[in-house]
């Protein structure tokens, strides 16, 4: 069995991955020989960004390493360590089988939802990077190919005075004019000064008026230069959400996100059906099974899965396929480093119903320094043609920004 992979990037090496692929296609050697690869290790490192990003690396006996990212959450690195024995020795090309294998093995830890699914997601993303490198194809090719060469990015914006409508409008104009984005999102769950008891989720009329003022200021300032969404972070009661959505119907809103808590899909459906304001949800729902009712009952106008949280790249593709059956577009939530952001973009290019991928770190000066490549240009991500995800960690930057007590990855 050929194992001479140590010089994959050396054009003078006796065997390159492309040579081995040719052999397995009938040009000599045993069929499948170049794809007979085993996982040898899984490692994590947490980076202290605007969220604690959990980076994942999967090592192989081919000398090739795949990099992924799990949604941040307490215990995710420990869960990944717990899963290591279930993937070491396995073939990293069997992505679907390994995903289901981990779901079954981790059922006792709650692989239906929550941090266990997010930990599995980090491994799944790294498998796509590794498999793409082994097969010498970009990750989107593993998802069925691409619909577009670049994916739109929407910038999650934060004004200096988030409760002030004009401050939000000023920031919207700055992000459009100076940073080049034509898609934005602002928070609406900000204090208005009129609250009596925020715990009861009820919005008094002056509070609704304040939120309308923010929407009006932002949408009128940017005009047709940008689409603008507004996020409620699951804050309001059903009745308040309906009244707010109704009050916003006259404004050009891309979508109103998560107006009610995520647990009760019946309430989510009723709010969506009560208004012409487009409603998005899905960030806090796990796997395709969790998203199913939101889509089948048309309880959302846009579905918003968070790829490294909800199950990974292929699971998000499956959610998008289900959404496409109901003509529902996909607006991927994303608070990740460049690694999972690029992975989300690979999903976004491989599905027909992609609206945009979120970018949540525009105020973090070193976000893009975490990888060697450029990621976002003028509000879009151009999908790389390099094998795997097409991004390379800058280990010096990773080491500089590691969470205290973390250990840097081993060398490949």
């Amino acid at each position: 069995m050929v194992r001479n992979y140590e010089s994959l990037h050396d054009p003078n090496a006796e065997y390159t991955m492309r040579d081995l692929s040719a052999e397995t296609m009938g040009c000599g050697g045993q069929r499948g020989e170049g794809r007979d690869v085993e996982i040898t290790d899984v490692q994590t490192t947490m980076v202290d960004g605007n969220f604690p990003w959990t980076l994942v690396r999967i090592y192989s006996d081919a000398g090739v390493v795949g990099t992924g990212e799990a949604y941040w959450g307490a215990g995710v690195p420990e869960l990944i360590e717990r899963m290591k024995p279930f993937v070491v020795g396995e073939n990293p090309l069997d992505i679907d089988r390994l995903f289901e294998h981990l779901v079954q093995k981790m059922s006792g830890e709650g692989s239906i939802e929550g941090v266990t699914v997010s930990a599995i997601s980090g491994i799944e993303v790294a498998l796509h990077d590794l498999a793409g490198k082994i097969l010498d194809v970009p990750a989107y090719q593993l998802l069925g190919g691409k619909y577009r060469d670049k994916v739109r990015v929407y910038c999650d914006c934060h004004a200096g005075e988030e409760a002030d409508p004009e401050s939000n409008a000023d920031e919207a104009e700055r992000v459009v004019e100076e940073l080049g984005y034509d898609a934005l999102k602002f928070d609406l769950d900000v204090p208005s000064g009129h609250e009596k008891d925020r715990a009861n989720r009820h919005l008094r009329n002056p509070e609704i008026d304040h939120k309308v003022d923010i929407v009006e200021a932002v949408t009128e300032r940017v005009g047709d230069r940008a689409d603008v969404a507004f996020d409620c972070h699951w804050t309001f009661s059903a009745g308040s959400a309906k009244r707010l959505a109704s009050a916003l119907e006259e404004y050009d809103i891309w979508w109103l996100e998560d107006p009610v808590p995520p647990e009760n899909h019946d309430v989510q459906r009723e709010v969506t059906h009560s208004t012409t304001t487009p409603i998005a949800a899905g960030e806090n729902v796990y796997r395709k099974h969790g998203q199913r009712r939101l889509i089948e009952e048309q309880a959302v106008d846009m579905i918003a899965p968070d790829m490294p949280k909800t199950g990974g790249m292929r699971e998000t593709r499956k959610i998008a396929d289900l959404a496409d059956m109901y003509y529902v577009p996909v607006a991927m939530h994303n608070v990740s480093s460049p690694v999972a952001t690029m992975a989300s973009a690979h999903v976004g290019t491989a599905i027909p119903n992609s609206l945009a991928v979120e970018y949540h770190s525009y105020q973090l000066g070193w976000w893009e320094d975490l990888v060697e490549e450029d990621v976002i240009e003028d509000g879009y991500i151009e999908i790389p043609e390099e094998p795997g995800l097409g991004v390379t960690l800058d280990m010096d930057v990773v080491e500089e920004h590691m969470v205290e007590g973390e250990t840097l990855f081993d060398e490949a």
Side-chain angles (χ1 to χ4, degrees):
M1 179 170 60
V2 176
R3 288 292 190 196
N4 187 10
Y5 295 89
E6 61 269 18
S7 301
L8 290 176
H9 302 294
D10 181 359
N12 298 315
E14 181 181 359
Y15 288 100
T16 66
M17 191 60 67
R18 198 180 301 275
D19 294 331
L20 288 169
S21 298
E23 286 188 5
T24 63
M25 293 302 290
C27 301
Q30 184 177 351
R31 179 175 294 276
E33 191 173 2
R35 300 191 299 275
D36 185 11
V37 182
E38 291 186 1
I39 296 170
T40 59
D41 197 10
V42 181
Q43 299 181 14
T44 63
T45 294
M46 292 186 72
V47 173
D48 190 12
N50 53 327
F51 296 92
W53 302 316
T54 302
L55 302 179
V56 184
R57 299 262 278 177
I58 297 181
Y59 298 76
S60 72
D61 62 356
V64 186
V65 180
T67 302
E69 180 179 350
Y71 186 88
W72 62 277
V76 169
E78 291 80 6
L79 284 165
I80 292 174
E81 181 69 21
R82 164 97 166 79
M83 287 185 270
K84 186 188 301 185
F86 306 140
V87 295
V88 168
E90 299 285 347
N91 190 322
L93 301 181
D94 297 333
I95 299 174
D96 269 353
R97 181 180 65 81
L98 291 178
F99 177 83
E100 295 299 334
H101 181 56
L102 291 176
V103 168
Q104 291 175 0
K105 286 292 188 180
M106 300 299 290
S107 58
E109 280 84 353
S111 55
I112 295 174
E113 60 185 8
V115 293
T116 303
V117 175
S118 298
I120 294 172
S121 301
I123 292 175
E124 196 263 9
V125 173
L127 287 173
H128 276 85
D129 188 44
L130 178 53
K133 291 173 180 176
I134 291 170
L135 298 175
D136 198 26
V137 296
Y140 72 77
Q141 205 74 64
L142 304 174
L143 301 172
K146 64 180 178 178
Y147 282 87
R148 51 193 67 83
D149 293 324
K150 59 183 181 179
V151 170
R152 195 180 188 190
V153 175
Y154 74 89
C155 184
D156 189 293
C157 303
H158 298 276
E161 298 291 337
E162 289 194 300
D164 177 40
E166 288 306 312
S167 182
N168 283 275
D170 290 344
E171 183 66 355
E173 186 166 43
R174 186 187 77 83
V175 172
V176 170
E177 291 296 324
E178 297 181 14
L179 304 184
Y181 289 92
D182 64 0
L184 316 174
K185 187 169 77 175
F186 285 84
D187 292 344
L188 277 189
D189 60 322
V190 294
S192 67
H194 301 290
E195 291 84 4
K196 297 296 184 183
D197 184 352
R198 298 193 74 183
N200 61 29
R201 303 186 184 278
H202 176 71
L203 285 173
R204 300 169 60 245
N205 285 339
E207 296 172 74
I208 290 180
D209 291 342
H210 172 256
K211 298 180 193 315
V212 170
D213 289 343
I214 292 176
V215 170
E216 181 177 50
V218 171
T219 55
E220 288 189 357
R221 182 73 67 85
V222 300
D224 60 4
R225 293 177 294 170
D227 293 316
V228 188
F230 295 89
D231 197 344
C232 301
H233 291 111
W234 321 280
T235 304
F236 309 127
S237 67
S240 293
K242 290 178 183 179
R243 288 164 49 232
L244 174 62
S246 176
L248 296 177
E249 287 180 348
E250 65 181 280
Y251 299 98
D252 186 13
I253 295 175
W254 205 11
W255 68 75
L256 185 66
E257 185 170 329
D258 291 321
V260 293
E263 299 91 349
N264 193 324
H265 289 186
D266 293 329
V267 174
Q268 179 68 59
R269 182 189 62 233
E270 291 304 313
V271 170
T272 300
H273 290 179
S274 73
T275 182
T276 59
T277 297
I279 304 295
E283 167 193 345
N284 261 0
V285 183
Y286 294 82
R287 301 182 59 202
K288 61 182 183 291
H289 306 285
Q291 307 274 354
R292 179 180 64 83
R293 281 193 61 202
L294 289 177
I295 296 167
E296 288 183 348
E297 298 180 14
Q298 300 175 62
V300 291
D301 296 298
M302 288 88 168
I303 197 75
D306 190 302
M307 186 278 300
K309 180 182 189 179
T310 196
M313 296 173 70
R314 296 182 73 79
E315 193 76 355
T316 303
R317 168 63 199 256
K318 293 171 185 177
I319 292 166
D321 287 342
L322 178 59
D324 196 43
M325 292 177 63
Y326 292 84
Y327 318 122
V328 173
V330 178
M332 274 179 272
H333 182 266
N334 173 60
V335 295
S336 304
S337 83
V339 175
T341 300
M342 183 61 81
S344 293
H346 276 274
V347 177
T349 197
I351 60 176
N353 48 341
S354 174
L355 276 183
V357 173
E358 183 174 11
Y359 172 50
H360 208 286
S361 305
Y362 78 113
Q363 294 173 320
L364 187 69
W366 54 269
W367 182 86
E368 197 159 274
D369 297 339
L370 197 69
V371 297
E372 297 177 2
E373 298 81 6
D374 293 332
V375 178
I376 302 173
E377 295 285 345
D378 297 324
Y380 285 79
I381 297 174
E382 186 171 347
I383 307 302
E385 293 299 322
E386 288 75 21
L389 297 180
V391 290
T392 308
L393 288 176
D394 186 321
M395 290 301 181
D396 291 335
V397 178
V398 172
E399 186 172 23
E400 179 183 356
H401 294 286
M402 285 191 306
V403 171
E404 185 177 355
E406 288 290 299
T407 303
L408 191 64
F409 299 112
D410 289 344
E411 294 293 330

